[in-house]
Amino acid sequence: KAELNAVCNDFLENSFDHLAKGKPLFQDKYDTRCPFPGLGVFDKVNVNGHQEDYRDFFFGRDEEIKTICDMEKELKFVAVIGGSGSGKSSLIRAGVIRQLEIDTRNKNTNESFKSITLPPGNDPVQKLKAELEKIPNPNLIFIDQFEELFTICGEKQRREFIKTLLELREHGKSIITTMRQEFLGDCLVIEELHPLITTSLQRLKPIETLKLDRLRDVVNRQAETANLRFEPGLLAIIFDDLHNERGAMPLLQHCLRQ
């Protein structure tokens, strides 16, 4: 059956299971949004003066999303480590934060889930203060590209920022960070961060780029969400060209958007 599904996917871009249920190859109506965000993250973005929500087209990380959401509730600090181009930012923005918003709505209360997202930059304390003025009392503070604390931020600002984050955590705010794996050692030598990051690594393994078979399923689901289908045989050609290509996910999203 697996071989039959693979053949159907290669030549019809549809699974045998889908065909056996009598579902049509193509839909009459399609979503006018492009389901592929290009080199950007899967998030709400401004496109030609209007906002598009690419979170609707984010797939393939269900296990990681559940693990991080559980850790957020239990630990109030999650360090997400992974290589460049592995999809860490999209995982949090489109996967975790959206799921936490849904979980809050499902509680049938009048509360909404509020979050702040920012890369540290060269003056992270001031950036955080500015964001807290816009969104007071957030549930979650997401620090994307945490490695900027070591690449473009001075030691004084770095220590003050980490101190501020941990104080916010003590007052009930959840902290999630994403960071490239090669900066892990820089974090672990910071006494206040060492136990938090070590605990994260025990629960959440470093994020890796999606394998090609999983990535193929993801782009198919993206297209299907917009009621689109790939021309028969097209994905087989694309994935032959992508074989062993590093950073396949952003490259593929960019090519498909073009």
Side-chain angles (χ1 to χ4, degrees), residues 118-132 143 145 148-162 164-165:
L118 74 151
N122 58 6
D123 195 351
V125 175
Q126 288 304 314
K127 286 185 72 172
L128 180 56
K129 286 181 179 179
E131 290 298 322
L132 287 170
I143 309 300
Q145 302 176 60
E148 287 187 356
L149 290 178
F150 305 99
T151 58
I152 60 177
C153 181
E155 183 177 354
K156 181 180 178 181
Q157 294 95 332
R158 177 169 62 246
R159 291 195 173 278
E160 184 179 354
F161 182 65
I162 291 171
T164 302
L165 283 182

Side-chain angles (χ1 to χ4, degrees), residues 59-71:
F59 299 102
R61 295 287 192 183
D62 293 350
E63 182 180 341
E64 292 92 338
I65 291 170
K66 183 182 185 307
T67 298
I68 295 170
C69 286
D70 290 344
M71 292 171 65

Side-chain angles (χ1 to χ4, degrees), residues 82-134:
S84 178
S86 59
K88 303 180 297 298
S89 295
S90 291
L91 168 61
I92 304 304
R93 294 176 188 235
V96 172
I97 292 177
R98 192 175 200 190
Q99 186 59 53
L100 292 171
E101 291 172 350
I102 292 170
D103 291 346
T104 301
R105 286 198 301 269
N106 288 343
K107 292 178 181 177
N108 295 320
T109 67
N110 293 325
E111 297 180 3
S112 61
F113 187 87
K114 297 187 294 183
S115 63
I116 288 173
T117 296
L118 74 151
N122 58 6
D123 195 351
V125 175
Q126 288 304 314
K127 286 185 72 172
L128 180 56
K129 286 181 179 179
E131 290 298 322
L132 287 170
E133 289 177 0
K134 297 177 190 174

